[in-house]
């Protein structure tokens, strides 16, 4: 039903500008070839780029030929331009023997081969590539009398330095987080996977923004159909701009109407590497540190990179605690409502009586209390999140202590309700990827419980579970490995088995290449060796 | 699509129910104890409930100068049946009485003699009461009187009674019977149900006690009284037929294997006039019926372990194995004595409280078909052999008590 409404809205929007896609700029460029006349080329540039203040056109004379450099100020490395390009062209050029321009070779060729001490230099002939080069942090060289130019890649724009990711901090593990620059991000991944099989395929999306994206996977581990599907879905995207990977996520996800996310995201290069090793595909987007990974299973939200780095027993325990927290967030407020209003007999008498005594004199029904306090908590959180830290502290202090305490002592809300909302609120932060989803679920369950007690709560639970079981993310069942049970993969779900036990890749993503560790590689003391002397440290006489 | 539409309607159903059955916690009167008596009016039943005043629970405890130790109000009402009487109470209480937190079902002696069927069906049928509650019969008194008795161990007196019944495991001189045990025994054709017994001990002025003057607020003023849980009530079907005293009660528990702990007092093997006390640590029992030459014999095997808990100073030397052997022998005699007292009493009452019949049925299902109908004739003259294996395992922290130097 919701789907239909959305469809309607969608078609309304389409009706207005039918068949008009947001493809590239409005330039006449297309596949126009470069002219032999330098002036024509430069005019073309000026026509297309307009009178933008950051476009620099520098003309100079090299070996009696007029040469023009075109680049965008701020995108390129100025030092390298000065030292390796300008200097070479204006001074070193004269030492080149035999004198360039003479003989059969083009000046462009000679410059490329003998003069420029820059690695990434390409010869170009059509106008389209010229534009892409200039806008993609390159310097374009035009030579009068030649219909080919040179493009020098010299990116040198300002980027944020690599920092610890804010959303996924760990105690043990890499402190590196992705930054906004795609090339830096890719280099971080490449540093972690030194395999020739690591494939990084560049694509461009966004008709106006021309955002670079990169599909990363490991050939031989990944299912090639998955890669094709990812690329197909990415190619289908037709939008003017992609400013963050969230844009892509909404275009490629399987269940756009679900409250559950079916595309994963992370800021950590080590996490991306781990996902690739499990046979997943990562999508890097230029301009954001958030990298998408698909397919994304429900259980992945419980898997924190630190689980794999610290010892497996406490790691497993933490997994279970996270699971418990999700249940608390989603169900506890609803349980409270169901119990106090419908089914008090499930509580042991002392607990029930003390709850009854704290509810004495509270003017609202249980569901009212929970909803009011829940909304209040969300307001507090939202107010605190985006404020500068000192102000945020004040907000939470006033909110938590003053209002929370006062509301109970004024008898407006019972103390258990405050405790439950606080507990559910704190638990919602334990599993960050699930936190928003769980709040919605919590609201849903609470309302159901308010209408029909346990009956409503369990009906809602079954509905949600059925919905989750029906979801798929790029072909992978969302609840896998629990729902289509694959017992081998349970090693990395509610518990985290030691690495020497997890010898296979998760079947659902890594079935192409299941073996990841030696079968018998569990650590053990040496067996068939000579018995060590009893006093090992005894000094020989 | 159809399924989705169906689901939408399914969810919409929830919202048209209009909060079905919703009663907020503070709008319920939580009942802690439920009592039933024969009403003065002929053919009617009197029901007494102890309702928790939730607000009082939070009140300052007595130790810090708070109010009196009570957080309950007792209401009594009558009706033609238990349910009727119970609902009539709502007229007085003003809130919906909530029975799920009841822990004790107290029955007055008179009603018990008439038959528990008048109460127990409601208790079993209604969805709120719990059949795991304790079933308690008031010996020589009314349930009303018991529920009105102020107890010090719990602000909610009925829960005090509950903990008194639980404490029977410390002395094993009364069974702790849950309603479900009672019902199971009733269901079985031959087994006689039993129930815990509670006594009201009137302190001080006997005449004043137990009458209960009414206060202005409708509650009843509480006279100084005490309660005591001991002994056993024996039923035939639903009707009370007799009592087992403390010794016989423990005898019953030995046979049914429900002795958890308790003290056995024996005389010292070395000095006849001095006594020693042995604590029961664990016990097991087995009822073994045997048919030889058409004669039914019941063998009861009891195995018991205990620790020496006390000796009157200078009575024996427990470091000698022979002394312990002697103690074990004496203990064995005491246990046998208790069991045979229970068996004799049960046979007098013609009530198979031990479940001998069930044991026979399990072992000799074919023969049982004939025995079953004559069980009332067979049971009073049944031959019962008692074999007790009593052990002493430890003798406490000291071997000899301190003795004065001569």
């Amino acid at each position: 039903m919701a789907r239909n409404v959305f469809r309607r809205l969608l078609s309304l929007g389409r009706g207005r500008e039918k068949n008009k896609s947001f493809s590239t700029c409005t330039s006449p460029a297309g596949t126009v070839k470069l002219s032999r006349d330098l002036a024509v080329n430069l005019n073309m540039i000026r026509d297309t780029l307009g009178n933008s203040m950051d476009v620099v056109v520098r003309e100079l004379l090299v070996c009696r030929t007029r040469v023009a450099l075109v680049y965008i100020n701020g995108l390129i490395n100025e030092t390298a331009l000065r030292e390796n390009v300008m200097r070479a062209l204006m001074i070193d050029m004269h030492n080149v023997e035999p004198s360039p321009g003479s003989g059969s070779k083009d000046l462009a060729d000679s410059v490329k081969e003998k003069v420029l001490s820059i690695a990434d230099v390409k010869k170009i002939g059509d106008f389209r590539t010229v534009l892409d080069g200039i806008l993609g942090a390159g310097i374009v060289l035009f030579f009068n009398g030649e219909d080919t130019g040179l493009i020098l890649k010299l990116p040198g724009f300002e980027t944020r330095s690599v920092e610890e990711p804010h959303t996924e901090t760990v105690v043990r593990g890499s402190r590196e987080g992705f930054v906004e620059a795609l090339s830096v991000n890719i280099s971080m991944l490449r540093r972690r996977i030194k395999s020739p099989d690591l494939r990084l395929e560049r694509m461009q999306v966004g008709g106006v923004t021309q955002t670079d994206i990169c599909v990363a996977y490991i050939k031989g581990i990944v299912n090639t159909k998955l890669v094709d599907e990812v690329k197909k879905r990415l190619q289908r995207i037709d939008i003017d701009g992609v400013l963050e990977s969230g844009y892509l996520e909404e275009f490629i996800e399987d269940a756009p109407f679900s409250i559950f996310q079916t595309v994963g995201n992370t800021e950590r290069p080590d996490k991306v590497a781990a996902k690739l090793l499990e046979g997943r595909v990562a999508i890097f987007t230029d301009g954001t540190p958030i990298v998408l990974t698909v397919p994304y299973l429900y259980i992945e939200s419980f898997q924190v990179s630190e689980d794999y780095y610290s010892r497996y027993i406490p790691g497993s325990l933490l997994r279970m605690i996270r699971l418990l927290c999700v249940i608390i967030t989603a169900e506890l407020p609803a349980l409270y409502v169901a119990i106090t209003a419908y089914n008090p007999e499930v509580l042991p008498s002392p607990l029930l009586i003390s709850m009854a005594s704290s509810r004495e004199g509270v003017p609202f029904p249980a569901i009212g209390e929970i909803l009011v306090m829940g909304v209040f908590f969300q307001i507090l959180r939202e107010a605190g999140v985006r404020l500068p830290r000192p102000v945020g502290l004040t907000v939470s202090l006033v909110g938590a202590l003053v209002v929370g305490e006062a509301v109970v002592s004024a008898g407006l809300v019972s103390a258990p309700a405050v405790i439950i909302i606080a507990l559910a609120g704190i638990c919602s932060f334990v599993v960050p990827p699930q936190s928003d989803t769980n709040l919605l679920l919590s609201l849903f369950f609470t309302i159901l419980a308010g209408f029909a007690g346990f009956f409503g709560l369990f009906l809602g639970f079954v509905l949600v579970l059925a919905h989750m079981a029906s979801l798929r993310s790029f072909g992978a069942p969302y609840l896998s490995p629990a729902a289509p049970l694959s017992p081998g993969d349970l090693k990395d779900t509610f518990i985290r088995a030691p690495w020497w036990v997890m010898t296979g890749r998760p079947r659902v993503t890594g079935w192409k290449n299941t073996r990841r560790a030696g079968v018998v590689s569990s650590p053990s003391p040496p067996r068939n060796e000579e018995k060590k002397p009893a006093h090992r440290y005894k000094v020989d006489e | 699509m159809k399924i989705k539409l169906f689901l939408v309607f399914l969810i919409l159903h929830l919202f048209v129910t209009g909060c079905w059955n919703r009663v907020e916690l503070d709008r319920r009167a939580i009942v802690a104890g439920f009592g039933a008596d024969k009403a003065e009016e002929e053919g009617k039943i009197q029901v007494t409930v102890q309702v928790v005043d939730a607000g009082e629970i939070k009140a300052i405890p007595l130790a810090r100068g708070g109010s009196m130790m009570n957080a309950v109000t007792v209401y009594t009402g009558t009706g033609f049946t238990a349910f009727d009487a119970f609902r009539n109470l709502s007229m007085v209480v003003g809130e919906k009485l909530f029975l799920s937190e009841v822990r004790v079902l107290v029955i007055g002696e008179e009603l018990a003699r008439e038959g528990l069927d008048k109460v127990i069906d409601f208790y079993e049928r209604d969805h709120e009461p719990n059949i795991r509650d304790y079933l308690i019969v008031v010996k020589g008194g009314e349930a009303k009187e018991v529920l009105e008795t102020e107890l010090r161990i719990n602000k909610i007196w009925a829960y005090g009674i509950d903990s008194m019944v639980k404490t029977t495991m410390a002395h094993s001189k009364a069974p702790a019977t849950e309603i479900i045990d009672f019902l199971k025994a009733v269901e079985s054709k031959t087994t006689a149900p039993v129930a815990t017994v509670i006594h009201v001990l009137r302190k001080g002025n006997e005449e004043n006690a137990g009458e209960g003057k009414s206060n202005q607020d409708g509650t009843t003023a509480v006279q100084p009284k005490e309660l005591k849980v001991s002994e056993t009530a024996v039923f035939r079907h639903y009707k009370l037929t007799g009592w087992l005293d403390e010794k016989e009660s423990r005898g019953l528990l030995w046979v049914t294997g429900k002795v958890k702990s308790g003290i056995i007092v024996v005389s010292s093997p070395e000095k006849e006039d001095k006594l020693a006390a042995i604590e029961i640590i664990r016990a097991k029992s087995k009822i073994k019926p045997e048919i030889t030459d058409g004669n039914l014999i019941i063998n009861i095997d009891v195995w018991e372990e205990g620790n020496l808990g006390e000796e009157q100073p200078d009575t024996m030397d427990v470091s000698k194995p022979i002394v312990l052997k002697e103690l074990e022998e004496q203990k064995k005699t005491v246990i046998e004595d208790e069991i045979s007292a229970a068996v004799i009493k049960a046979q007098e009452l013609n009530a198979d409280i031990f479940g001998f019949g069930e044991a026979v049925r399990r072992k000799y299902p074919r023969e049982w078909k004939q025995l079953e109908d004559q069980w009332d004739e067979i049971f009073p003259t049944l031959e019962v052999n008692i074999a007790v294996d009593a052990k002493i395992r430890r003798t406490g922290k000291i071997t000899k008590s301190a003795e004065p130097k001569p």
Side-chain angles (χ1 to χ4, degrees), chain A residues 48-99:
Chain A
T48 29
L49 291 180
N51 201 18
S52 298
M53 58 174 280
D54 57 346
V55 178
V56 179
V57 180
R58 169 80 157 88
E59 290 182 60
L60 57 151
L61 208 59
V62 177
C63 299
R64 293 178 302 279
T65 309
R66 290 207 72 77
V67 174
L69 275 107
V70 185
Y71 62 89
I72 289 183
N73 197 5
L75 280 188
I76 55 137
N77 186 340
E78 299 268 358
T79 327
L81 171 68
R82 209 162 46 230
E83 295 296 321
N84 304 12
V85 181
M86 297 298 277
R87 201 183 155 83
L89 287 174
M90 301 182 88
I91 298 165
D92 302 346
M93 194 70 176
H94 305 292
N95 306 331
V96 177
E97 287 296 330
S99 175

Side-chain angles (χ1 to χ4, degrees), chain A residues 233-301:
Chain A
R233 290 193 195 182
L234 286 171
Q235 273 154 5
R236 233 170 27 203
I237 297 173
D238 184 15
I239 190 176
D240 59 346
V242 172
L243 302 180
E244 216 275 339
S245 48
Y247 288 48
L248 301 181
E249 183 177 335
E250 285 191 14
F251 275 109
I252 63 171
E253 67 188 342
D254 287 66
F257 300 104
S258 172
I259 58 167
F260 293 96
Q261 63 175 103
T262 48
V263 175
N265 61 65
T266 180
E267 251 188 283
R268 301 185 56 86
D270 52 343
K271 201 163 172 180
V272 170
K275 301 276 183 212
L276 295 190
L277 285 173
E278 286 182 347
R280 289 191 167 82
V281 173
I283 304 160
F284 290 75
T285 312
D286 195 22
T288 175
I290 309 289
V291 173
L292 306 178
T293 56
V294 289
Y296 183 75
L297 309 179
Y298 185 66
I299 197 70
E300 279 180 70
S301 51

Side-chain angles (χ1 to χ4, degrees), chain B residues 151-194:
Chain B
L151 290 179
R152 289 267 150 179
I153 50 171
N154 200 321
K155 273 188 175 183
I156 301 162
W157 305 333
Y159 291 175
I161 299 173
D162 172 73
S163 88
M164 286 169 81
V165 177
K166 286 207 171 80
T167 319
T168 55
M169 61 164 277
H171 51 75
S172 300
K173 284 177 180 172
T177 26
E178 292 171 355
I179 294 167
I180 189 167
D181 300 332
F182 185 88
L183 291 170
K184 273 189 209 157
V186 170
E187 290 271 294
S188 136
K189 274 190 181 165
T190 54
T191 311
V194 292

Side-chain angles (χ1 to χ4, degrees), chain A residues 2-290:
Chain A
R3 192 181 296 244
N4 274 356
V5 173
F6 273 93
R7 287 250 164 87
R8 274 277 177 79
L9 289 174
L10 223 76
S11 61
L12 275 181
R14 270 192 192 136
R16 227 171 285 144
E17 10 188 336
K18 210 160 193 175
N19 293 333
K20 188 184 179 189
S21 78
F22 299 95
S23 69
T24 88
C25 43
T26 50
S27 74
T31 48
V32 180
K33 293 274 179 232
L34 288 181
S35 159
R36 284 185 181 276
D37 188 354
L38 179 63
V40 173
N41 285 339
L42 290 183
N43 272 335
M44 194 89 125
I45 293 276
R46 285 196 190 98
D47 280 351
T48 29
L49 291 180
N51 201 18
S52 298
M53 58 174 280
D54 57 346
V55 178
V56 179
V57 180
R58 169 80 157 88
E59 290 182 60
L60 57 151
L61 208 59
V62 177
C63 299
R64 293 178 302 279
T65 309
R66 290 207 72 77
V67 174
L69 275 107
V70 185
Y71 62 89
I72 289 183
N73 197 5
L75 280 188
I76 55 137
N77 186 340
E78 299 268 358
T79 327
L81 171 68
R82 209 162 46 230
E83 295 296 321
N84 304 12
V85 181
M86 297 298 277
R87 201 183 155 83
L89 287 174
M90 301 182 88
I91 298 165
D92 302 346
M93 194 70 176
H94 305 292
N95 306 331
V96 177
E97 287 296 330
S99 175
S102 61
S104 58
K105 275 204 168 176
D106 288 344
L107 183 61
D109 275 323
S110 327
V111 167
K112 182 184 170 194
E113 282 165 17
K114 295 177 183 163
V115 181
L116 294 174
S117 52
I118 288 167
D120 192 353
V121 180
K122 273 191 209 106
K123 254 179 102 170
I124 43 172
D126 74 308
F127 201 70
R128 169 89 219 160
T129 336
V130 168
L131 273 183
D132 283 349
I134 294 172
L135 296 171
I139 302 162
V140 174
L141 274 171
F142 294 110
F143 301 90
N144 196 17
E146 287 179 21
D147 61 354
T148 50
L150 287 182
I151 181 155
L152 331 173
K153 281 279 180 189
L154 270 181
F157 43 85
E158 287 299 315
T159 57
R160 191 166 59 97
S161 60
V162 176
E163 287 170 15
E164 188 169 3
H166 289 293
T167 54
E168 294 161 279
T169 46
V170 292
V171 176
R172 178 170 177 177
S174 151
R175 299 281 188 279
E176 273 187 345
F178 285 128
V179 294
E180 282 73 12
L182 180 65
S183 53
V184 179
N185 292 348
I186 285 173
S187 73
M188 279 193 258
L189 179 66
R190 188 62 99 167
R191 255 189 14 240
R192 281 176 173 78
I193 305 176
K194 296 191 194 74
S195 161
D197 288 335
L198 174 63
R199 294 294 139 90
L200 302 155
E201 294 185 13
R202 181 172 169 272
M203 296 174 81
Q204 258 185 348
V205 286
V208 176
T209 58
Q210 294 288 312
T211 312
D212 284 327
I213 58 174
C214 167
V215 177
Y217 57 93
I218 299 176
K219 200 186 131 209
I221 293 177
V222 80
N223 173 10
T224 43
K225 277 187 186 156
L226 172 64
V227 180
D228 292 344
E229 178 65 27
V230 170
K231 284 197 276 193
K232 210 171 89 193
R233 290 193 195 182
L234 286 171
Q235 273 154 5
R236 233 170 27 203
I237 297 173
D238 184 15
I239 190 176
D240 59 346
V242 172
L243 302 180
E244 216 275 339
S245 48
Y247 288 48
L248 301 181
E249 183 177 335
E250 285 191 14
F251 275 109
I252 63 171
E253 67 188 342
D254 287 66
F257 300 104
S258 172
I259 58 167
F260 293 96
Q261 63 175 103
T262 48
V263 175
N265 61 65
T266 180
E267 251 188 283
R268 301 185 56 86
D270 52 343
K271 201 163 172 180
V272 170
K275 301 276 183 212
L276 295 190
L277 285 173
E278 286 182 347
R280 289 191 167 82
V281 173
I283 304 160
F284 290 75
T285 312
D286 195 22
T288 175
I290 309 289

Side-chain angles (χ1 to χ4, degrees), chain B residues 24 57 84 105-106 110 139 158 174 184 194 213 226 233-234 265-266 270 282 327 346 376:
Chain B
E24 290 285 336
I57 294 291
D84 183 34
L105 172 59
V106 187
E110 268 186 73
K139 189 173 180 182
K184 273 189 209 157
V194 292
K213 283 185 292 181
E226 257 180 12
V234 179
V265 179
V266 295
E270 292 184 341
R282 57 184 74 87
L327 274 177
D376 280 351

Side-chain angles (χ1 to χ4, degrees), chain A residues 332-398:
Chain A
L332 191 65
L335 262 180
Y336 173 77
V337 170
I339 286 174
T340 50
Y342 293 93
N343 310 83
E345 61 273 4
V346 300
L347 286 189
S349 342
L351 183 57
L352 177 72
I353 287 164
S354 90
M355 260 171 63
S357 72
S358 51
R359 270 200 57 80
E360 199 116 304
V362 173
F364 304 113
I367 182 163
E369 281 184 309
I370 289 291
L371 289 182
V372 166
M373 287 312 289
V375 168
F376 177 65
F377 178 84
Q378 288 312 314
I379 291 172
L380 268 185
R381 189 181 80 117
E382 196 55 28
V385 163
R386 272 166 252 289
L387 281 178
R389 191 158 283 189
V391 192
L393 267 181
T394 320
V395 166
S396 43
L397 204 75
V398 169

Side-chain angles (χ1 to χ4, degrees), chain A residues 1 3-4 340-350 352-362 364-367 447-448 450-452 455-456 459 463, chain B residues 1 4-5 7-8 10-11 14-26 28 30 32 52-58 98 100-101 103 127-128 156 159:
Chain A
M1 218 156 153
R3 192 181 296 244
N4 274 356
T340 50
Y342 293 93
N343 310 83
E345 61 273 4
V346 300
L347 286 189
S349 342
L352 177 72
I353 287 164
S354 90
M355 260 171 63
S357 72
S358 51
R359 270 200 57 80
E360 199 116 304
V362 173
F364 304 113
I367 182 163
I447 289 171
L448 284 183
F451 276 106
F455 173 65
L459 189 64
L463 272 179
Chain B
M1 206 56 223
K4 277 187 184 157
L5 216 67
L7 279 178
V8 167
L10 203 71
I11 295 169
L14 278 177
F15 300 96
V16 297
T17 56
C19 306
W20 154 85
N21 220 8
R22 186 178 73 116
V23 184
E24 290 285 336
L25 202 47
D26 46 336
R28 290 181 198 259
I30 300 168
V52 178
D53 304 332
E56 284 294 314
I57 294 291
K58 271 200 296 193
F98 179 59
S100 287
E101 304 300 321
R103 293 222 196 128
H127 70 278
E128 277 184 2
I156 301 162
Y159 291 175

